[in-house]
Amino acid sequence: MPCRNYYETILNYFVNRETNAFAESFNAKIKAFRAQFRGVGDIHSLCSDYAN
């Protein structure tokens, strides 16, 4: 049953009012950043093109 796998995490929210929202948000930002540069072979030349 799936709820048993997350039993401690679910209870932790009600006991301590803690979530992993910060970590999830950070991971989403990393994924978005990586998606922007998908297919770019050399990041350094890309950055120098934008600097000039």
Side-chain angles (χ1 to χ4, degrees), residues 2-51:
C3 291
R4 290 184 184 167
N5 295 339
Y6 300 105
Y7 181 75
E8 288 184 30
T9 305
I10 293 168
L11 287 182
N12 189 41
Y13 172 74
F14 292 106
V15 173
N16 299 322
R17 295 290 185 203
E18 293 179 358
T19 66
N20 66 343
F22 176 77
E24 293 293 337
S25 173
F26 188 69
N27 286 336
K29 289 177 184 176
I30 290 173
K31 280 186 175 183
F33 179 77
R34 291 179 67 199
Q36 284 182 330
F37 295 107
R38 195 166 284 150
V40 175
D42 187 17
I43 297 293
H44 296 292
S45 66
L46 177 72
C47 293
S48 67
D49 290 344
Y50 278 120

